[in-house]
Amino acid sequence: HALTGLLTENVDPVSKVTIVPRGQALGVTQYTPLDDRYNYSKEYLESQLVTALGGRAAEQVAIGRITTGAENDLQRVTAIARQMITRWGMSDRLGPISFSERDDPFAGTALANGSREYSEKTATIVDEEVNRMVKRAYDRAVGLLTEHRETLNRIARSLRLYETLDARQLRKIMEETGAINAAPASYR
């Protein structure tokens, strides 16, 4: 997560990463938002998908197999992608249309009748678009980590040694491995 966050445009700055378990998480990457956000750009959300898939991608790149550790990340990524398509009209294929469920004016929740306001064909396209969006983000994460494998290894070794790295330590690793040159201009 940390390395994809450091290498991806439109991501809040990575402030800390730790392998000390927190709740059900086996580790945590903390991001410090630069400002309060009330609206999210498509580019920001796509970057969120890439960084959230960084853990799963790191498993694939570093150890050549995947585990169940990414369950929460996969749920989050799928939910974001589905909302991008069904609520915020961020699919070129479906256009600027909201397919989200209407709220029940009396209960303040989604209508409980179980029906959608769109066809099975549209539901299939939504599923295909979610799949496409998540796959593209995963491929991007794998590509970044493969290209910067030395940096990934250095961060992993440092985490095993110190358990927690702050932004200054991460930046030093990025500089020493040359990955700083691939980071967004705002980070350099």
Side-chain angles (χ1 to χ4, degrees):
H1 299 288
L3 184 54
T4 55
L6 293 166
L7 293 170
T8 303
E9 194 79 46
N10 302 308
V11 175
D12 292 322
V14 176
S15 54
K16 182 167 97 171
V17 61
T18 182
I19 57 171
V20 177
R22 304 272 192 263
Q24 292 185 353
L26 301 175
V28 176
T29 300
Q30 291 180 347
Y31 302 86
T32 304
L34 295 174
D35 55 9
D36 291 335
R37 283 194 181 86
Y38 302 101
N39 288 306
Y40 299 96
S41 70
K42 182 178 181 182
E43 296 77 18
Y44 176 85
L45 293 169
E46 288 172 338
S47 295
Q48 293 300 300
L49 300 179
V50 173
T51 59
L53 290 167
R56 168 57 65 90
E59 290 177 339
Q60 185 65 46
V61 170
I63 60 177
R65 59 185 166 79
I66 58 173
T67 71
T68 59
E71 178 181 8
N72 184 262
D73 297 328
L74 297 174
Q75 290 170 341
R76 203 169 105 236
V77 162
T78 304
I80 291 170
R82 186 166 296 280
Q83 288 179 30
M84 288 174 71
I85 293 159
T86 62
R87 292 179 67 185
W88 303 317
M90 294 181 176
S91 164
D92 292 336
R93 191 167 167 202
L94 290 169
I97 298 172
S98 174
F99 295 100
S100 59
E101 296 176 356
R102 284 188 308 145
D103 285 343
D104 183 333
F106 303 106
T109 60
L111 290 170
N113 62 10
S115 67
R116 287 188 306 261
E117 293 188 0
Y118 51 91
S119 69
E120 280 301 315
K121 181 179 177 184
T122 300
T124 298
I125 294 171
V126 167
D127 290 341
E128 290 169 356
E129 285 291 276
V130 168
N131 190 1
R132 181 191 59 77
M133 194 174 280
V134 171
K135 182 172 179 5
R136 187 174 67 213
Y138 181 72
D139 290 345
R140 174 82 175 125
V142 168
L144 286 170
L145 298 180
T146 300
E147 183 179 344
H148 299 283
R149 178 68 188 269
E150 180 186 352
T151 308
L152 177 64
N153 291 343
R154 284 279 303 277
I155 290 172
R157 281 194 305 271
S158 295
L159 283 169
R160 283 193 299 271
L161 189 61
Y162 303 112
E163 293 185 338
T164 300
L165 300 173
D166 62 22
R168 183 186 50 76
Q169 293 165 306
L170 289 166
R171 184 176 186 85
K172 184 175 185 216
I173 292 170
M174 295 280 288
E175 289 169 351
E176 291 173 354
T177 60
I180 194 80
N181 299 324
S186 61
Y187 183 71
R188 289 184 255 147

PDB file of all heavy atoms in Angstrom, residues 150-162:
ATOM      1  N   GLU A 150      13.063  -3.387  -6.131  1.00  0.00           N
ATOM      2  CA  GLU A 150      14.127  -3.110  -5.159  1.00  0.00           C
ATOM      3  C   GLU A 150      13.603  -2.229  -4.018  1.00  0.00           C
ATOM      4  O   GLU A 150      13.891  -2.481  -2.851  1.00  0.00           O
ATOM      5  CB  GLU A 150      15.309  -2.415  -5.846  1.00  0.00           C
ATOM      6  CG  GLU A 150      16.447  -2.095  -4.887  1.00  0.00           C
ATOM      7  CD  GLU A 150      17.557  -1.274  -5.524  1.00  0.00           C
ATOM      8  OE1 GLU A 150      17.547  -1.068  -6.743  1.00  0.00           O
ATOM      9  OE2 GLU A 150      18.442  -0.837  -4.767  1.00  0.00           O
ATOM     10  N   THR A 151      12.816  -1.232  -4.358  1.00  0.00           N
ATOM     11  CA  THR A 151      12.236  -0.350  -3.341  1.00  0.00           C
ATOM     12  C   THR A 151      11.265  -1.129  -2.464  1.00  0.00           C
ATOM     13  O   THR A 151      11.264  -0.979  -1.233  1.00  0.00           O
ATOM     14  CB  THR A 151      11.529   0.843  -4.004  1.00  0.00           C
ATOM     15  OG1 THR A 151      12.435   1.461  -4.924  1.00  0.00           O
ATOM     16  CG2 THR A 151      11.081   1.862  -2.969  1.00  0.00           C
ATOM     17  N   LEU A 152      10.447  -1.975  -3.072  1.00  0.00           N
ATOM     18  CA  LEU A 152       9.517  -2.821  -2.321  1.00  0.00           C
ATOM     19  C   LEU A 152      10.281  -3.696  -1.330  1.00  0.00           C
ATOM     20  O   LEU A 152       9.910  -3.786  -0.150  1.00  0.00           O
ATOM     21  CB  LEU A 152       8.703  -3.690  -3.283  1.00  0.00           C
ATOM     22  CG  LEU A 152       7.732  -4.695  -2.658  1.00  0.00           C
ATOM     23  CD1 LEU A 152       6.632  -3.974  -1.881  1.00  0.00           C
ATOM     24  CD2 LEU A 152       7.134  -5.587  -3.744  1.00  0.00           C
ATOM     25  N   ASN A 153      11.354  -4.315  -1.797  1.00  0.00           N
ATOM     26  CA  ASN A 153      12.158  -5.170  -0.912  1.00  0.00           C
ATOM     27  C   ASN A 153      12.778  -4.375   0.228  1.00  0.00           C
ATOM     28  O   ASN A 153      12.825  -4.844   1.365  1.00  0.00           O
ATOM     29  CB  ASN A 153      13.242  -5.888  -1.712  1.00  0.00           C
ATOM     30  CG  ASN A 153      12.676  -6.924  -2.655  1.00  0.00           C
ATOM     31  OD1 ASN A 153      11.529  -7.346  -2.526  1.00  0.00           O
ATOM     32  ND2 ASN A 153      13.464  -7.324  -3.631  1.00  0.00           N
ATOM     33  N   ARG A 154      13.273  -3.180  -0.070  1.00  0.00           N
ATOM     34  CA  ARG A 154      13.889  -2.348   0.974  1.00  0.00           C
ATOM     35  C   ARG A 154      12.870  -1.933   2.024  1.00  0.00           C
ATOM     36  O   ARG A 154      13.149  -1.946   3.219  1.00  0.00           O
ATOM     37  CB  ARG A 154      14.525  -1.103   0.356  1.00  0.00           C
ATOM     38  CG  ARG A 154      15.833  -1.331  -0.361  1.00  0.00           C
ATOM     39  CD  ARG A 154      17.049  -1.390   0.585  1.00  0.00           C
ATOM     40  NE  ARG A 154      17.214  -0.218   1.406  1.00  0.00           N
ATOM     41  CZ  ARG A 154      17.814   0.907   1.034  1.00  0.00           C
ATOM     42  NH1 ARG A 154      18.322   1.008  -0.178  1.00  0.00           N
ATOM     43  NH2 ARG A 154      17.904   1.916   1.863  1.00  0.00           N
ATOM     44  N   ILE A 155      11.672  -1.566   1.587  1.00  0.00           N
ATOM     45  CA  ILE A 155      10.624  -1.191   2.543  1.00  0.00           C
ATOM     46  C   ILE A 155      10.263  -2.400   3.401  1.00  0.00           C
ATOM     47  O   ILE A 155      10.143  -2.290   4.629  1.00  0.00           O
ATOM     48  CB  ILE A 155       9.386  -0.620   1.819  1.00  0.00           C
ATOM     49  CG1 ILE A 155       9.722   0.755   1.224  1.00  0.00           C
ATOM     50  CG2 ILE A 155       8.186  -0.531   2.762  1.00  0.00           C
ATOM     51  CD1 ILE A 155       8.638   1.325   0.321  1.00  0.00           C
ATOM     52  N   ALA A 156      10.126  -3.570   2.786  1.00  0.00           N
ATOM     53  CA  ALA A 156       9.784  -4.795   3.530  1.00  0.00           C
ATOM     54  C   ALA A 156      10.870  -5.125   4.559  1.00  0.00           C
ATOM     55  O   ALA A 156      10.552  -5.441   5.713  1.00  0.00           O
ATOM     56  CB  ALA A 156       9.583  -5.958   2.571  1.00  0.00           C
ATOM     57  N   ARG A 157      12.133  -5.053   4.153  1.00  0.00           N
ATOM     58  CA  ARG A 157      13.233  -5.334   5.105  1.00  0.00           C
ATOM     59  C   ARG A 157      13.228  -4.337   6.259  1.00  0.00           C
ATOM     60  O   ARG A 157      13.397  -4.715   7.419  1.00  0.00           O
ATOM     61  CB  ARG A 157      14.587  -5.296   4.390  1.00  0.00           C
ATOM     62  CG  ARG A 157      14.904  -6.556   3.609  1.00  0.00           C
ATOM     63  CD  ARG A 157      16.372  -6.640   3.199  1.00  0.00           C
ATOM     64  NE  ARG A 157      16.855  -5.506   2.449  1.00  0.00           N
ATOM     65  CZ  ARG A 157      16.806  -5.381   1.118  1.00  0.00           C
ATOM     66  NH1 ARG A 157      16.291  -6.343   0.384  1.00  0.00           N
ATOM     67  NH2 ARG A 157      17.287  -4.306   0.529  1.00  0.00           N
ATOM     68  N   SER A 158      13.021  -3.066   5.944  1.00  0.00           N
ATOM     69  CA  SER A 158      13.000  -2.031   6.983  1.00  0.00           C
ATOM     70  C   SER A 158      11.821  -2.228   7.926  1.00  0.00           C
ATOM     71  O   SER A 158      11.953  -2.014   9.137  1.00  0.00           O
ATOM     72  CB  SER A 158      12.951  -0.641   6.350  1.00  0.00           C
ATOM     73  OG  SER A 158      14.127  -0.391   5.622  1.00  0.00           O
ATOM     74  N   LEU A 159      10.696  -2.638   7.406  1.00  0.00           N
ATOM     75  CA  LEU A 159       9.537  -2.897   8.260  1.00  0.00           C
ATOM     76  C   LEU A 159       9.774  -4.093   9.177  1.00  0.00           C
ATOM     77  O   LEU A 159       9.376  -4.077  10.340  1.00  0.00           O
ATOM     78  CB  LEU A 159       8.270  -3.106   7.421  1.00  0.00           C
ATOM     79  CG  LEU A 159       7.641  -1.839   6.872  1.00  0.00           C
ATOM     80  CD1 LEU A 159       6.565  -2.163   5.847  1.00  0.00           C
ATOM     81  CD2 LEU A 159       7.079  -0.981   7.998  1.00  0.00           C
ATOM     82  N   ARG A 160      10.431  -5.129   8.667  1.00  0.00           N
ATOM     83  CA  ARG A 160      10.755  -6.277   9.526  1.00  0.00           C
ATOM     84  C   ARG A 160      11.705  -5.861  10.640  1.00  0.00           C
ATOM     85  O   ARG A 160      11.616  -6.352  11.757  1.00  0.00           O
ATOM     86  CB  ARG A 160      11.338  -7.416   8.706  1.00  0.00           C
ATOM     87  CG  ARG A 160      10.285  -8.199   7.934  1.00  0.00           C
ATOM     88  CD  ARG A 160      10.802  -9.513   7.377  1.00  0.00           C
ATOM     89  NE  ARG A 160      11.900  -9.360   6.443  1.00  0.00           N
ATOM     90  CZ  ARG A 160      11.772  -9.192   5.129  1.00  0.00           C
ATOM     91  NH1 ARG A 160      10.567  -9.143   4.596  1.00  0.00           N
ATOM     92  NH2 ARG A 160      12.817  -9.076   4.356  1.00  0.00           N
ATOM     93  N   LEU A 161      12.592  -4.927  10.339  1.00  0.00           N
ATOM     94  CA  LEU A 161      13.572  -4.473  11.314  1.00  0.00           C
ATOM     95  C   LEU A 161      12.985  -3.495  12.327  1.00  0.00           C
ATOM     96  O   LEU A 161      13.201  -3.622  13.532  1.00  0.00           O
ATOM     97  CB  LEU A 161      14.748  -3.823  10.573  1.00  0.00           C
ATOM     98  CG  LEU A 161      15.984  -3.463  11.374  1.00  0.00           C
ATOM     99  CD1 LEU A 161      16.604  -4.706  12.014  1.00  0.00           C
ATOM    100  CD2 LEU A 161      17.008  -2.789  10.458  1.00  0.00           C
ATOM    101  N   TYR A 162      12.216  -2.515  11.842  1.00  0.00           N
ATOM    102  CA  TYR A 162      11.726  -1.430  12.715  1.00  0.00           C
ATOM    103  C   TYR A 162      10.227  -1.491  13.018  1.00  0.00           C
ATOM    104  O   TYR A 162       9.759  -0.746  13.871  1.00  0.00           O
ATOM    105  CB  TYR A 162      12.041  -0.072  12.082  1.00  0.00           C
ATOM    106  CG  TYR A 162      13.505   0.134  11.804  1.00  0.00           C
ATOM    107  CD1 TYR A 162      13.971   0.200  10.496  1.00  0.00           C
ATOM    108  CD2 TYR A 162      14.428   0.243  12.835  1.00  0.00           C
ATOM    109  CE1 TYR A 162      15.320   0.384  10.226  1.00  0.00           C
ATOM    110  CE2 TYR A 162      15.779   0.427  12.578  1.00  0.00           C
ATOM    111  CZ  TYR A 162      16.213   0.500  11.267  1.00  0.00           C
ATOM    112  OH  TYR A 162      17.541   0.682  11.003  1.00  0.00           O
TER     113      TYR A 162
END
